[in-house]
Amino acid sequence: MEELYMKRALDLSLKGIGKTSPNPLVGAVIVKNGKIIGEGYHEYYGGPHAEVNAIKNATEDVEGATIYVTLEPCSHYGKTPPCAKLLVEKKLSKAVISMIDPNPKVSGRGVQILRQNGIEVVIGTLEEEAKKTNEIFLKYIQEKKPFCILKTAMTLDGKIATKNGESQWITNEKSRYHVHELRNKVSGIMVGVNTIIADNPSLTTRLKDGGTDAVRIIVDSTLRIPLSSKVLKVNSPKKTIIATTQKADKEKLEKLNSFENVQVVITPMKESMVDLNFLFDWLGKEGIDSILVEGGSTLNFSILKEKLVDKVITFIAPKILGGVESKTPVGGDGFEKLQDSVLLEGIKIRTFDEDIMVEAYVRKDRICLQD
């Protein structure tokens, strides 16, 4: 039953997707005398935490009840009061927790408060599921760098566009809708300037209920971006960041700085291009906890080479395009030896009608790139 209640808490936590960043997704379920009397989740950044909402929604007094919560109750004053102290005040008897909060401000202190006040604590129920739910938060809180998802879409023979550059649409409508669900989960979307020139995308989130836009990040070492590009004029509460270098045309730089909601960042150069490691560190300091990289092939290789990718999502359409000059998902110079290739683990496969989606994690302990 503990796993059943915790599964419910995890399901509740997912309702906060796209609204809590850079805070975690958290769900809570309160059980008394064998029945659920209260449920809640962290609904939005700065709002009441899951435990607070579960207690507020309870249909009877929570004294003596057990709370199932997907993350250790907080112990410090932030935008809201400490949840651990609230559980003590409300006299709950037991707390079942999926995982300890890696945030140094909490990390075991919430559990300590509960135990010191006579509340029984159980830790580790569905811990792996909870960690995956909060994989973005876990990396960001510990490394202060964005969790990076590399998304590609290709034909069965590995092509992302014809030799003439036609790429819309490789995958079907359901696959494309899922990409918008992915956009809704992250705080940043990154593309190279070639993608902007070829496709002129808006890079917004378009779900049935609207969804949440991410910050748009364009990697453009010499400022080749057309001033008429949609990403420079899109009606969105989130800004567009253009990462460039000192090679950028000064006149164009001045024009771009005049655009509302556009920010130009000049990074150091690495191999005559934007230093991606510098950029990711800077984005992390700006509070961007996650990035969905949507190509193209040159940026994809560069970001893999720099060991910045955490997760790979590839859509495969049942089409054969052919052509030696047709583009592939990962371009650049490529790795010269098989032993240098990026290895993946935790493979999962899902279908969207006839399209196949492959999801996997980068095995960072097995990347053999030479420094």
Side-chain angles (χ1 to χ4, degrees):
M1 291 303 295
E2 284 195 346
E3 289 193 357
L4 184 65
Y5 293 134
M6 191 61 78
K7 177 64 168 60
R8 174 59 184 164
L10 285 167
D11 289 344
L12 285 168
S13 74
L14 298 179
K15 292 185 176 184
I17 285 175
K19 304 179 183 71
T20 66
S21 175
N23 283 352
L25 301 169
V26 185
V29 171
I30 300 175
V31 176
K32 189 173 183 180
N33 298 323
K35 69 173 184 177
I36 295 175
I37 64 168
E39 295 183 336
Y41 66 97
H42 187 199
E43 298 178 9
Y44 58 92
Y45 175 69
H49 289 185
E51 301 93 322
V52 175
N53 286 329
I55 290 171
K56 181 183 69 176
N57 295 333
T59 55
E60 60 181 274
D61 189 356
V62 299
E63 182 176 348
T66 297
I67 188 167
Y68 294 81
V69 61
T70 60
L71 187 69
E72 176 185 9
C74 63
S75 57
H76 65 291
Y77 285 88
K79 290 188 176 293
T80 59
C83 291
K85 291 185 178 180
L86 176 65
L87 301 187
V88 172
E89 291 170 7
K90 295 297 182 179
K91 299 181 180 179
L92 279 85
S93 64
K94 183 177 179 180
V96 181
I97 301 167
S98 280
M99 59 176 288
I100 297 296
D101 191 337
N103 187 340
K105 293 180 180 179
V106 184
S107 198
R109 293 181 179 87
V111 168
Q112 186 179 20
I113 290 172
L114 297 178
R115 285 177 170 160
Q116 286 176 343
N117 287 276
I119 295 178
E120 180 186 353
V121 178
V122 176
I123 302 168
T125 303
L126 299 186
E127 183 176 11
E128 290 307 310
E129 290 87 338
K131 285 181 175 179
K132 183 167 184 183
T133 297
N134 271 313
E135 59 191 9
I136 289 173
F137 170 74
L138 290 176
K139 178 179 180 180
Y140 185 69
I141 200 68
Q142 294 177 90
E143 300 182 28
K144 296 302 179 186
K145 290 182 76 170
F147 185 90
C148 179
I149 304 170
L150 176 63
K151 187 240 49 170
T152 58
M154 64 182 187
T155 60
L156 191 60
D157 58 333
K159 307 297 184 181
I160 63 171
T162 68
K163 65 179 182 179
N164 298 322
E166 183 183 350
S167 61
Q168 297 180 336
W169 297 102
I170 294 287
T171 53
N172 65 30
E173 188 174 343
K174 286 187 178 180
S175 293
R176 299 198 300 274
Y177 188 83
H178 185 65
V179 171
H180 286 277
E181 292 177 325
L182 293 173
R183 290 180 179 183
N184 188 55
K185 292 181 180 180
V186 298
S187 53
I189 300 173
M190 180 179 288
V191 300
V193 67
N194 288 333
T195 297
I196 298 296
I197 293 170
D199 299 335
N200 194 22
S202 298
L203 300 181
T204 53
T205 301
R206 299 184 292 279
L207 297 174
K208 292 173 183 175
D209 61 353
T212 303
D213 283 348
V215 172
R216 296 162 295 281
I217 306 156
I218 317 301
V219 180
D220 185 0
S221 300
T222 58
L223 284 190
R224 293 189 294 123
I225 184 170
L227 296 177
S228 59
S229 300
K230 291 179 182 178
V231 290
L232 301 177
K233 303 174 181 179
V234 66
N235 182 20
S236 170
K238 298 296 176 66
K239 64 184 175 182
T240 295
I241 295 173
I242 304 173
T244 190
T245 69
Q246 292 180 346
K247 295 193 300 181
D249 179 86
K250 299 299 184 288
E251 184 178 344
K252 196 166 189 180
L253 176 62
E254 190 174 325
K255 288 180 180 178
L256 286 168
N257 279 327
S258 70
F259 277 80
E260 187 177 355
N261 220 22
V262 172
Q263 180 179 4
V264 181
V265 178
I266 299 177
T267 78
M269 286 190 291
K270 187 169 184 179
E271 298 177 357
S272 299
M273 295 186 292
V274 166
D275 185 331
L276 292 171
N277 275 290
F278 175 91
L279 177 59
F280 268 64
D281 286 339
W282 183 86
L283 291 169
K285 291 174 185 175
E286 289 291 300
I288 296 176
D289 64 359
S290 50
I291 294 173
L292 180 66
V293 178
E294 296 198 40
S297 64
T298 301
L299 176 61
N300 290 349
F301 176 71
S302 296
I303 216 158
L304 284 165
K305 183 180 177 182
E306 294 299 324
K307 307 180 186 179
L308 293 168
V309 178
D310 297 287
K311 189 175 187 177
V312 175
I313 296 178
T314 298
F315 294 87
I316 305 170
K319 301 173 182 176
I320 295 176
L321 191 57
V324 174
E325 298 179 13
S326 299
K327 295 182 179 180
T328 58
V330 181
D333 294 332
F335 302 120
E336 293 183 1
K337 299 179 181 179
L338 281 174
Q339 69 179 29
D340 294 339
S341 59
V342 179
L343 303 183
L344 305 175
E345 64 182 355
I347 309 293
K348 288 192 176 180
I349 297 173
R350 181 176 172 184
T351 58
F352 294 92
D353 289 339
E354 69 274 16
D355 286 356
I356 300 169
M357 186 187 84
V358 180
E359 176 183 292
Y361 293 88
V362 172
R363 289 186 59 173
K364 297 196 174 182
D365 60 323
R366 292 290 301 278
I367 293 181
C368 304
L369 293 173
Q370 298 298 315
D371 292 329

